[in-house]
Amino acid sequence: MRAHMPGVDGVTPQAADASSQPRPEEGNREAPYQAFGCSIFPSSTAPAAALQQEDWRDTACPLLFIQLNQLLSTPAGLEWRETARWMKFEEKVEDGGERWSAPHIPALSLHSLFQLRTCLQKGTLLLDLDAPSFKEIIDKALSGQPEGAELQPALRERLAALLLLQPRHQHTQSPLRLLAQLGLAPCRGKAKSWAEPGAQLSETPLKEQLRNQFKKKVPPGSEAAHIAVGEVEFLEKPFTAFIRLRQAVALGSLAEVALPSRFLFILLGPQAKEKDYHEVGRAMATLLTDELFQRVARHAEHREDLIAGMEAFLDELTVLPPGKWDLNARIPPPSCLPSLHRRTAVHSPDRQSHSNGDMAAGGGRANPGHPCTGEELERTGRLFGGLLRDIRRKAPWYGSDFSDALNPQCLSAVLYIYLATVTNAITFGGMLGDATANMQGVLESFLGTAFAGFVFCLFSGQPLTILSSTGPMLVFERLLFSFSQDHSLHYLEFRLWIGLWVAFFGVMLVATEASHLVRYFTRFTEEGFCALISLIFIYDSLKKMLSLADTFPINWQYRLDNVTSYSCVCNLSSPGHSSAGNSTPLPSALAPHQPPAAPTGLSRSQCLERGGQLLGTSCQYVPDVTLISFLLFGGTFLSCSALKRFRSSRYFPAGVRKLVSDFAIILAILAFCAVDATLGLETPKLLVPSELKPTNPERGWIISPFGSNPWWVCLVSAVPAVLVTILIFMDQQITAVILNRREYKLQKGAGFHLDLLCVSLLMVATSATGLPWYVSATVISLAHMESLRKESATSAPGEHPEFLGIREQRLTGIAVFILTGLSVLMAPVLKHIPMPVLYGVFLHMGVAALNSIQLTDRVRLLLIPAKHQPDLAYLRHVPLRRVHLFTIIQLLCLALLWVVKSTVAAIIFPVMLLALVGIRKALERVFSLHDLSWLDSLLPETASGEAEGKQARRRKEDESNSEECELMHRQGPEINISVN
């Protein structure tokens, strides 16, 4: 039978009693049962003191690099050779000794664990040994044998000489060094990277250790453990020793990587049992990779503590029967591992944390609280109390908001978000110009975006938020302009008073701590809004591309055989006078046309400047432009997605993969800009205004509040201002809730009240200057956060890099909006960027944001047969038909929002957003609280009333660590949103 180490399936350990447990001797029939903790047989055992201590459970232990050296016989004599190593997972030296195996979960024989248990019970045990060198450690280990098992002086000398031999390491070399060795091998023969057999252990690290590429995988502060096993002919009974050093000591060239050593385990015995010794060594290494046992080993005071730690290990063991699986199969590492806290913590009702970054209480699980609950959303009962608390919370971080941006990753984020912001400003600026008769155009959009975004990033509570014009705000601007035209009102003056009222209402909301209502925005509301904005991005990008077919129509009637009859001529004729211009063949189907005589050499633009006419239907067709535009569009989208996933590729070193992934969007844009420049076709380019003057010459830069409209307009404008206030509050706060979810592991806290105040005050400035109104752009803000994603620099072989959080700072946003304002000066450079490339980036952002939400996963479940559906956590606890019903309700709400936004009923769109909260409350009459706790978050009053039941359910959930792993891997952060 094979046993798999605990911590993979995540069964909660029950500490075995070892303090009073007798050591099993040979012939003790209950020993096997005692090894499993005596769970079904009565026993007087009690947990050992080392397992009952609480003070060290929350202390982090250094990661252990464990090396297994095996004594092998060679023609030159006995030699220690590295055969395996561990850093969380096992790697073996493959046959031939030239390469390491892929990391895998170690599979142990149950017999080897029992033998190891006997070794720990009967062998030498030295805890907190003070020894500065390996030689002194060996001397004390050989002289510290238990009574009755002392070694003869001659044996001690032979064992000491044997243990002090230099081991042969299997070094990890860079590909360049390997190629260099291959190139030089014919000249100098086979290179040797290890000492000759019989050489003594060096007290200083060897050059091979210092050049070993594997040290890049070892995080700072790690320690080493050494395991030495083998058979020798001069021993009649095994010699075993387990040693823990009081202080980690550098032991020269003993380890493959130069690290201070903490543990040593030695097993030498008679011949004919080499495989058994090797398996016992693997079992010891596997035990030390287990965090729970390692903590016991670090704090053990007696032998019984170590045995108790092993009992806990055995309690969690999973055994696979022989003949049911391939013994040579290597199980790859899982996507994530259960946390040590889940394996050791006492499940008290209040043990769950609600701070940002608590992955254990992930947003999708049966969590009674809101995913953003905490100090940020608690009421103080004082005017502006929440605002003052936001300022006190964010002020200590203000300096680090600039220093934390000194990282190359921020440069990639600035370039990516800058291009996304510029594209968004041009797109919405153009649509605003069409909707308002150029009272607000592209230039106003550029200046407003730069000004509002810069101020917001400088003073807001969550500077990672990107302000931009949004689809819902554009709908309101269009309706407001139409209303002004129909009732003969001055649009910008009417808009100014609406903006002033909105600012007033916003300040009142901040004063009364209305952001407290954000607690009612559950996943149901967040996903509906996020899906709507994502679909707007996708729809607009596709709509813009399809419009190219109208501007540059494709000639579907083109026939190669008729190419000689295709022509386009310039007709300069006037009444009584006829002249024609140059004949320019273009690739489009025409009937044969006989051009009149005319001057030759005229281009299309010259012909039109002279007042001529282009004759011939081929003059209107440029088929290559539409085709290459769609190729650029699709290629950019696919490249962005592929390069972003390159981080998890198998190709190239980790540093290269990370660099490519960080700059994925920029590389895709540059690549397809180069393709466009190489082809030389006149694809539509990014057009940036080059002059600082209003788009409509009839307006100025400062809007007067009086003069053009009747006096009562300033009072009536409060009515539409209420709708705009609802829209801004919902848009701003839903985006803030999404950005501040605990899955992002934010450390500097949120600022809901401060953000709303900044947006409200900016309404005054933008309304007074006739610039567009701005709120948080959900998709671009998520893209900004994902582009600043931090992961661990080092990870054990086979382990996925750990998500550390978001690089929280203000400088990237400030730089983005400064560049946006300077874009007018950079028009000569920006005009070379094709618009289809930027539309492809838009499509990538929308699709990535849409794929990040649980709603998308549940929509896919509608199309997947039950037997092929993924093993999602909520599918284990909620009936499938209830999951589908919840999904259909969400889709109906999303469709209703889209219809309202796109029709004349768009004026009530803000109210419909608010209605999502009411619909979510009504769902409690359709779904049980248990189902809603898995598919959504519970509302505040429901959560408080059900807290006790939720804690009971949470304790039950802790028994299934595989579910926790699935959620941590999928949901952390809930932005799998590779929105960068």
Side-chain angles (χ1 to χ4, degrees), residues 842-859:
F842 258 46
L843 180 63
H844 166 72
M845 293 168 61
V847 171
L850 195 61
N851 285 333
S852 72
I853 57 179
Q854 190 192 85
L855 173 61
T856 306
D857 294 336
R858 287 188 274 106
V859 170

Side-chain angles (χ1 to χ4, degrees), residues 16-32:
D17 176 26
S19 59
S20 59
Q21 179 177 343
R23 300 179 184 176
E25 304 294 339
E26 295 181 3
N28 184 359
R29 297 182 180 180
E30 293 185 4

Side-chain angles (χ1 to χ4, degrees), residues 810-831:
R810 298 178 184 269
L811 203 54
T812 55
I814 291 175
V816 164
F817 292 112
I818 289 177
L819 290 176
T820 303
L822 296 177
S823 295
V824 176
L825 305 178
M826 295 188 292
V829 177
L830 297 177
K831 69 180 182 180

Side-chain angles (χ1 to χ4, degrees), residues 91-141:
E91 294 178 272
K92 296 180 179 178
V93 177
E94 303 285 23
D95 291 342
E98 296 296 333
R99 65 183 294 271
W100 286 102
S101 71
H104 55 275
I105 298 173
L108 306 173
S109 65
L110 204 57
H111 185 62
S112 65
L113 290 169
F114 292 152
Q115 288 184 320
L116 174 60
R117 190 174 187 275
T118 303
C119 292
L120 294 178
Q121 289 175 329
K122 297 184 176 181
T124 301
L125 183 66
L126 300 176
L127 301 178
D128 292 334
L129 179 65
D130 287 315
S133 65
F134 186 60
K135 184 178 185 303
E136 188 172 343
I137 293 173
I138 295 302
D139 291 340
K140 292 185 178 181

